Structure formats: structure tokens, C-alpha cells
Amino acid sequence: MNKISELFCSIKNNGNAGFVLLVMVLLLNGCTAGKDGALHKSADGLQVEGAADAQDASGASDTAPPEPLQKGFVLREKVDLGINARRDFNRAVDFLHNEEYDSAAALLENVIEDSPKVTAPYINLAMAYRKLDKPEKAEDLLKIALKLFPKHPVASNEYGLLLRAGGRFAEARDVYETTLQKYPEYLPARKNLGILCDLYLNDPASALAQYEKYHQIKPDDKQVKLWISEIRLRLGS
């Protein structure tokens, strides 16, 4: 039986910037992809689970933008990642979650050397370097990721945070706004654009607009709900 391995960038739309995960979907002859993106049991009895938040895995083109969902979405990206590189990538994600940034960075450097055309290791390594106070290295990595995958929402959101930390507020705003044109429901970018306008650009009206759009998708975020009330008081609305 022929097997084709595909990796997907998995992004949960929870309002917080998280590390990029890779979800491997194994496409098997005789299996069919359902509307939920999972591969279902075929006549030969095989069953392979796909990415739960994906669109139809069999129908999307390599360059077509993914459909954003309120609970998350999957960015389709065919990659060539070997077993060892995949193992190191997963270990690096664990290190990132545990805030062991030096260990994560060392592994991700190896993954990039092995698979230089995969975006996720560049993005996660940039996050590690930002935490290690190495903004120049982080920016170089994000530029590579955005060249490989223009307007990648996670790379763009991370780049916006990096630009904001460096006082490059106008550039950060442009990155967020450009990303949200293509991925309007990617909540981390929406929230961070609001924060940028509110605290750094003295533009409460724009901040309010971003927070309200965010709140429509994630009404249970009490912090953003409070920010909305505070800005409305300031604006007298």
C-alpha cells in the first residue's frame, strides 16, 4: 500500500500566542477524507486519524488559504521532515512549554539544518530567541518563515510582538493589520493589535474596535471584556 505523509501546522484559536505544532496525517490508498478533515475507515479496515480542525484534507490546494474556524484552523503545508527531525521538533516543543529555551533552541537549530524549508521550526526558534533576549536572531528567523509562507499568522503575530518590544510600533501595526486581512479570526493577532493601539499608539478607538471583534469570537475572555468597558468609559461611549 502506498503511503504519503503530510504535515500540517496546527493553530488553536484561543486568543493566546502558542507554539506551532506539527500534526502528521498519513494518507493511505483506499481511505477517504471526511468534512472534518479526518481520514475515515476504508474497505480494508484501516483507520487513520487526521487533524480535527482541518478542512477536507483531500481537496485543499497547496497555495489556497485555509478557512479560519472559531475553534482553530490548520495551515496546510506539505513538508519533508524525517523521523529524527520530527522527534527533535516534538522534544523542542516540550522544552518550550517548560520554559527551557536554550535546550529548545539547540534542538530546533538541528531541525532547521535537516529541513530548511519547514516554517514551524523557524517560528518556534524565534520565540525561544525572543525569550532569551536575542531579538536580532529572532527577527532573521521570522523573516525566513514569512518568506517561505507569506502572512503566516503565527509568524506574523510573533513578529509583531518582536517589533513592539523594539519600539517599532508602526511596523508592528502594519504586520498585524496585513495578517488579519487574510486571517481575520486569528485571535492572538487581533488581541495584540488592540493592545498595541491601546497602550503604545494612543489610539483607543482602534483598540476598542479590535477588542470588540475579538470579543465576538471569544466572549468568555474576562480580561478583554474589562478592557472594552475601560475604553468605553475613556471615550465617553
Side-chain angles (χ1 to χ4, degrees):
M1 175 174 292
N2 293 329
K3 301 180 180 180
I4 303 173
S5 294
E6 292 190 358
L7 288 173
F8 295 85
C9 253
S10 180
I11 301 173
K12 293 300 180 183
N13 205 1
N14 58 9
N16 299 309
F19 308 119
V20 185
L21 306 177
L22 290 180
V23 180
M24 188 171 78
V25 178
L26 194 61
L27 303 181
L28 307 178
N29 284 352
C31 289
T32 58
K35 291 183 178 179
D36 59 357
L39 297 177
H40 297 284
K41 191 176 294 184
S42 65
D44 57 11
L46 292 173
Q47 185 174 7
V48 181
E49 292 300 323
D53 291 331
Q55 295 297 304
D56 186 342
S58 65
S61 70
D62 297 336
T63 57
E67 292 293 332
L69 305 176
Q70 290 189 5
K71 293 184 179 180
F73 52 89
V74 172
L75 298 179
R76 184 180 178 87
E77 181 183 6
K78 288 185 179 181
V79 299
D80 181 14
L81 200 64
I83 294 175
N84 292 336
R86 210 157 48 232
R87 179 200 61 206
D88 287 346
F89 179 87
N90 291 332
R91 288 178 60 204
V93 170
D94 290 336
F95 281 131
L96 288 169
H97 281 299
N98 293 328
E99 300 183 359
E100 299 177 54
Y101 301 117
D102 283 310
S103 298
L107 286 173
L108 290 167
E109 290 280 10
N110 291 337
V111 174
I112 288 172
E113 184 177 354
D114 181 79
S115 304
K117 294 185 178 181
V118 185
T119 60
Y122 289 102
I123 299 169
N124 287 357
L125 182 55
M127 292 181 181
Y129 277 141
R130 179 167 63 86
K131 294 292 186 178
L132 291 169
D133 197 23
K134 297 180 179 179
E136 295 85 3
K137 286 188 174 183
E139 183 169 3
D140 289 343
L141 291 162
L142 291 170
K143 286 180 177 179
I144 295 172
L146 288 168
K147 185 176 181 180
L148 291 170
F149 197 135
K151 299 181 184 178
H152 191 298
V154 182
S156 297
N157 184 66
E158 180 64 19
Y159 196 20
L161 291 173
L162 193 70
L163 291 169
R164 189 185 80 188
R168 297 154 65 184
F169 304 140
E171 291 178 73
R173 182 172 191 166
D174 182 65
V175 168
Y176 287 134
E177 290 179 342
T178 301
T179 301
L180 289 168
Q181 288 175 1
K182 188 170 185 179
Y183 302 100
E185 292 183 9
Y186 184 56
L187 295 185
R190 180 77 62 192
K191 186 175 185 178
N192 282 322
L193 176 56
I195 292 171
L196 180 71
C197 292
D198 189 10
L199 301 181
Y200 298 89
L201 293 173
N202 193 27
D203 187 355
S206 294
L208 179 61
Q210 297 305 320
Y211 291 153
E212 287 178 336
K213 289 178 182 178
Y214 174 97
H215 187 63
Q216 289 175 359
I217 300 175
K218 194 172 177 61
D220 58 339
D221 190 324
K222 295 180 181 179
Q223 186 179 50
V224 171
K225 187 176 181 179
L226 178 62
W227 293 345
I228 290 172
S229 299
E230 290 176 345
I231 293 180
R232 285 176 177 170
L233 284 173
R234 273 188 274 156
L235 295 176
S237 58

